[in-house]
Amino acid sequence: MKTHTVQSNDYVDIPCPDCGKNKHIKVCNLYHRGFRCSCNSKTSYPNRFVYSVFNQLKIDYEPEYHRDWSDGRRYDLGNEEISLIVENHGPQHYEDNFYKNRNLEEEQQNDAYKYQLAKENGFQNYVVLDCRKSEIQWIKNSIMNSNLPQLLQFKESDIDWDLADRDAVKNIVKEVCLEWEKEKSYDYSIVGDKFRISKSTVQDYLVIGAKHGWCSYDSNWRDRSVYCFQFDKEWSRSSDASRETGVCASDILYCCKNTLF
């Protein structure tokens, strides 16, 4: 039995299916933005849905795209090779009072500024998707009614929309932790490349996951002492060795973890 309308400002308590923690959330926010827990990535449902579509099409992209010219702004998705930027606009781009940091007019002014920056820096294709509702059918319709099918040469039947929905709601932090445990290689790059995230993001996710028992990652191992035979020198922390040698700290630790004596 329904007890609330989708626009209700009432709060409800919903347990996270992954960590079990109760989330105290407004019904309207749950409807528009979906369920989000601190144990998961901050990436929104629409962004992960669209990323899944690109992954299924095997089209390269850079999430959270930004460059020096973007004036601190980030775009949801960018591909320089096909001169494409995709912005997934949530409810704050269409309705007021969703976020306190900017009102609707300021949000739309910022949208226009981002569009101008992209066009001035050579992007010919700028696609804005209406993602005001975190629902499979809504975002699917938004994608199919945009220029993306023509630009990327795909039909509705080419996409497994249910898979995109599953990719959008799954706990990527937990997935990364499980993959880390499966690989047992202690190489952030292997896991990061699979999920299209940076080494530092992998590390952040592993720290979160370790707290929930999803992996056996020890965040303190990055600060253990390391010894370099080539230079006959020992550093108290891998970060110190990284600064002096110019080698990435995660690469140093990967070498240490996989060296046989």
Side-chain angles (χ1 to χ4, degrees), residues 80-97:
E80 295 180 354
E81 185 176 348
I82 56 178
S83 192
L84 171 68
I85 278 179
V86 179
E87 284 279 83
N88 308 315
H89 281 181
Q92 73 274 20
H93 298 268
Y94 304 98
E95 306 168 37
D96 217 338
N97 299 321

Side-chain angles (χ1 to χ4, degrees), residues 98-115:
F98 265 90
Y99 295 114
K100 295 181 180 179
N101 56 333
R102 277 199 294 257
N103 59 36
L104 180 60
E105 181 180 359
E106 292 169 334
E107 193 73 50
Q108 293 179 342
Q109 287 176 348
N110 186 62
D111 293 339
Y113 180 55
K114 291 175 69 175
Y115 173 82

